């Protein structure tokens, strides 16, 4: 009768493993009614309830555990299983059940002080449940077991062979089936890199984070022309091996599920479920911790990287170049006149200070009162750390005076303006005088400038060169 009960328990476990807990419960109940009470059958029935991951089924599992312990008060399996259920119960949701956990553990320590059941029950609250439906937890158990198997075996092939023997001895244990399929997949030729990622994934992720962080810091500091897409592309490229590893792990889980389904079919037809090698006994795999000390360390390193990027980004956003304005009374043989009282194109720009700006017009000394000016230069300095390229090209704080005084013929994004700033230029005909003029505006995080000048015979390159030379004459880096 005991051998028959063992077969039934194996079938119940297999049904739970392949996601058929209702059938597992029906099978266990039928066996309890026909074959009489059995501690193993009570445990299998309770686990079939727990597999539903539902409060009502957890309550039903507790009733089964208590019923079984009424008949078998010293059974290690029932005590450990009940203690695990209590440890995983929310103390706020079911305070009574949660409080019973320490009592059960104390009883286990008396009966089996060094047993695997006691270890599993003691770590239940801080370990991943093998019955958890969460796919992330399933992957964690799979990765933990496979990494441990490869680390303890002399060769990958030896690890795969040992896992296959264990799975053959215990054909109803899904965790062993997953381990056998996983080691078989990763022990194949050419799978050195996936095995390395499995065992050293934390180090690889941290190295990837360091590379991406370094690229972002370079972009924020010394290489502003470097697109952020380079950092994103590097992160994606370095993450591709993990995508491949995850696909291989998923394939192994699918094969293990097929193996368990075949085990259930064989048990239903009365065939032998599996035969193990002589002298081989399947081990009790250790609990899988929810978080290991190494993971805490690497998580801290990752947070430090994020903090470093954040601090660098913040410091970079607040850093802006300082300039001194040189307001020429005469410029290129022309007489200058201050226009700031009548014309202040940057008066509405936030953080622009009047003492840190100038606006001047330059005409020939003998020019008629109504003659067109040769140059109009306006420059302002300040903390414009929020300045972006789009502010210059799409308007923003940069004025578009020509839209009111002239007919625009050509507008383009120019090359870098004075001291590397963004610059936009246009050519237009001044309505009042009919003079062909050019206007360029530029901006960076420390200055905004505008220059208008006659441009009867200037092409785009000549217009840009003139604007840059004028800007460099009026705006100099502080300290030069």
């Amino acid at each position: 009768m005991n051998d028959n009960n063992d077969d039934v328990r194996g079938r119940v476990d297999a049904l739970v493993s392949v996601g058929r807990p209702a059938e597992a419960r029906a099978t266990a109940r039928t066996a309890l009614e026909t074959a009489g009470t059995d501690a193993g059958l009570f445990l299998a029935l309770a686990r079939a309830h727990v597999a539903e991951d539902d409060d009502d089924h957890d309550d039903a599992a507790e009733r089964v555990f208590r019923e079984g312990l009424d008949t078998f008060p010293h059974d290690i399996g029932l005590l450990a299983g009940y203690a695990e259920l209590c440890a995983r119960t929310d103390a706020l949701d079911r305070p009574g059940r949660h409080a019973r956990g320490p009592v059960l553990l104390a009883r286990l320590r008396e009966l089996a002080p060094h047993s695997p059941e006691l270890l599993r029950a003691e770590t239940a609250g801080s370990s991943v449940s093998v019955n958890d439906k969460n796919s992330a937890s399933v992957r964690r158990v799979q990765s933990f077991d496979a990494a441990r198997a490869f680390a303890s075996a002399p060769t990958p092939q030896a690890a795969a062979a040992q896992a296959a023997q264990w799975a053959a001895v215990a054909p109803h244990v899904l965790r062993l089936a997953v381990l056998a399929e996983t080691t078989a997949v990763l022990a194949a030729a050419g799978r050195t890199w996936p095995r390395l990622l499995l065992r050293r994934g934390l180090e690889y992720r941290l190295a990837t984070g360091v590379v991406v962080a370094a690229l972002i810091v370079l972009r924020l500091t010394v290489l502003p022309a470097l697109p952020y897409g380079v950092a994103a592309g590097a992160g994606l490229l370095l993450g591709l091996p993990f995508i491949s590893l995850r696909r291989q792990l998923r394939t192994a889980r699918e094969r293990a599920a097929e193996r368990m389904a075949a085990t259930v079919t064989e048990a239903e037809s009365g065939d032998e479920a599996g035969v193990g090698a002589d002298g081989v006994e399947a081990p009790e795999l250790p609990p899988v911790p929810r978080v290991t000390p190494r993971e805490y360390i690497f998580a801290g390193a990752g947070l430090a990287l994020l903090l470093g990027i954040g601090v660098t980004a913040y410091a970079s956003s607040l850093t802006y170049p300082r300039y001194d304005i040189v307001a020429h009374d005469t410029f290129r043989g022309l007489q200058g006149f201050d226009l700031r009282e009548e014309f202040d194109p940057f008066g509405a720009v936030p953080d622009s200070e009047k003492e840190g700006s100038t606006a001047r017009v330059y005409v020939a000394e003998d020019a008629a009162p109504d003659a067109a000016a040769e140059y109009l230069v306006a420059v302002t300095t300040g903390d414009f750390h929020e300045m972006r390229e789009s502010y210059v090209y799409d308007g923003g704080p940069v004025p578009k005076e020509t839209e009111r005084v002239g007919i625009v013929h050509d507008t383009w994004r120019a090359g870098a303006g004075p001291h590397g700033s963004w610059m936009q230029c246009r050519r237009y005909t001044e309505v009042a005088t009919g003079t062909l003029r050019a206007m360029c505006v530029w901006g960076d995080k420390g200055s905004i400038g505008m220059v208008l000048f006659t441009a009867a015979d200037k092409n785009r390159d000549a217009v840009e060169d003139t604007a840059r030379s004028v800007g460099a004459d009026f705006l100099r880096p502080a300290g030069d």
Side-chain angles (χ1 to χ4, degrees), residues 46-75:
R47 286 177 173 170
H49 278 293
V50 172
E52 294 283 3
D53 193 21
D54 176 84
D55 288 342
D56 292 337
H57 280 282
D58 285 347
D59 294 341
E62 182 174 23
R63 290 193 294 270
V64 172
F65 277 125
R66 301 186 74 165
E67 182 183 354
L69 287 171
D70 287 341
T71 308
F72 306 97
H74 306 302
D75 186 78

Side-chain angles (χ1 to χ4, degrees), residues 9-310:
R9 288 199 300 270
R11 186 184 172 199
V12 171
D13 291 341
L15 286 168
V16 170
S17 297
V18 297
R20 293 155 63 180
E23 292 181 46
R25 291 192 297 274
T27 301
R29 288 196 190 98
T30 300
L32 283 169
E33 293 170 359
T34 59
T37 57
D38 179 85
L41 289 176
F42 277 120
L43 179 59
L45 176 57
R47 286 177 173 170
H49 278 293
V50 172
E52 294 283 3
D53 193 21
D54 176 84
D55 288 342
D56 292 337
H57 280 282
D58 285 347
D59 294 341
E62 182 174 23
R63 290 193 294 270
V64 172
F65 277 125
R66 301 186 74 165
E67 182 183 354
L69 287 171
D70 287 341
T71 308
F72 306 97
H74 306 302
D75 186 78
I76 305 300
L78 285 172
L79 286 169
Y82 193 10
E84 287 183 59
L85 174 65
C86 294
R88 298 185 190 281
T89 298
D90 190 334
L92 297 178
D93 188 35
R94 296 287 195 278
R97 182 190 302 161
H98 185 80
R100 284 188 282 276
V103 178
L104 293 166
L105 286 175
R107 182 61 176 155
L108 265 176
R109 292 188 186 100
E110 293 177 5
L111 297 174
H114 304 293
S115 63
E117 290 84 358
L118 174 61
L119 174 63
R120 188 174 61 246
E122 286 179 327
T123 58
S126 60
S127 64
V128 178
S129 173
V130 296
N131 292 323
D132 201 326
K133 293 181 179 179
N134 187 308
S135 59
S137 296
V138 171
R139 289 195 302 271
R140 182 174 180 81
V141 173
Q142 180 186 20
S143 300
F144 176 86
D145 289 342
R148 182 172 173 271
F150 284 127
S152 60
T155 65
Q157 292 71 28
Q162 186 177 63
Q165 288 181 337
W166 292 343
V169 172
H172 302 297
V173 180
L174 178 61
R175 190 173 171 187
L176 289 175
V178 171
L179 175 59
E181 295 295 342
T182 304
T183 52
V185 168
L186 297 183
R191 300 288 170 82
T192 302
W193 189 240
R195 290 195 301 271
L196 179 63
L197 287 180
L198 190 70
R199 296 180 57 190
R200 293 290 180 261
L202 292 174
E203 290 86 343
Y204 185 86
R205 286 187 176 93
L206 180 61
T208 299
V210 169
V211 171
V212 174
L215 290 173
I216 293 176
V217 170
L218 284 174
R219 167 62 177 81
L220 293 171
T221 55
V222 298
L223 295 176
L226 182 71
Y228 281 113
V230 173
L236 178 61
L237 184 63
L238 292 172
L240 288 179
F242 275 110
I243 297 176
S244 175
L245 175 61
R246 180 165 291 192
R247 185 179 67 252
Q248 293 167 4
L249 295 179
R250 183 176 64 250
T251 299
R253 292 196 302 272
E254 291 171 352
R255 290 179 180 175
E258 293 173 0
R259 172 187 288 194
M260 297 305 298
T263 299
V264 173
T265 302
E266 291 169 357
E268 290 174 344
S269 63
D271 296 337
E272 186 69 24
V275 180
D278 293 339
V280 176
E281 183 178 353
E284 180 78 20
L285 295 178
V288 180
R290 294 184 184 276
V291 184
T292 64
R294 287 181 69 250
E295 288 174 317
Y296 278 119
I297 293 173
F298 280 94
L303 289 175
L305 274 180
L306 289 177
L307 180 62
I309 293 175

